[in-house]
Amino acid sequence: MRFFYESCSQRRKCRILEKYAIAENLKPHELVSILIENIEQIHADGDINLDDSYVASILKYRSIIILMHNFFSQMWVNKNKDTIFPNVELGLLLTEVGLIS
């Protein structure tokens, strides 16, 4: 999502920032979370030019994407590198979307 956002014109970026009350100094991982959470509306409004199949995939696996995004974001800032992997929650989400039984 960040790549698609960064590829937008400045006018579109400003519209997205305003529409979703995004602070300009937000950290990249925080911006990505907001974009993923609002991907349906962003796509419907044409704020970012996204392929329908890409949006459908994000929507189908959004809970997993957000979980892993949050894990990697926490791991990135954790100087001790002892971030606990959310294996139980990931297993539940993978089962929920039908990737494992």
Side-chain angles (χ1 to χ4, degrees):
M1 279 298 301
R2 185 168 170 213
F3 168 79
F4 294 111
Y5 172 78
E6 294 295 335
S7 299
C8 287
S9 68
Q10 194 59 37
R11 191 181 106 249
R12 283 188 178 196
K13 286 179 188 175
C14 288
R15 185 169 57 198
I16 292 167
L17 293 176
E18 184 178 306
K19 189 183 288 186
Y20 300 99
I22 301 170
E24 287 190 45
N25 61 347
L26 207 60
K27 294 179 182 169
H29 70 275
E30 295 169 323
L31 172 64
V32 170
S33 292
I34 293 169
L35 295 174
I36 291 171
E37 286 292 339
N38 293 287
I39 192 169
E40 286 172 290
Q41 195 61 50
I42 290 169
H43 180 60
D45 293 347
D47 292 329
I48 298 177
N49 190 15
L50 300 168
D51 184 72
D52 291 341
S53 60
Y54 175 80
V55 174
S57 294
I58 296 292
L59 293 175
K60 182 174 182 177
Y61 302 111
R62 180 168 35 199
S63 59
I64 296 166
I65 293 166
I66 290 172
L67 175 72
M68 295 310 299
H69 175 74
N70 290 339
F71 168 71
F72 284 113
S73 296
Q74 291 168 9
M75 189 174 66
W76 185 260
V77 298
N78 182 350
K79 292 185 186 341
N80 295 328
K81 301 300 179 204
D82 59 357
T83 305
I84 298 171
F85 187 79
N87 61 322
V88 173
E89 189 174 358
L90 179 60
L92 293 171
L93 293 174
L94 290 170
T95 302
E96 187 178 295
V97 299
L99 290 174
I100 60 174
S101 53

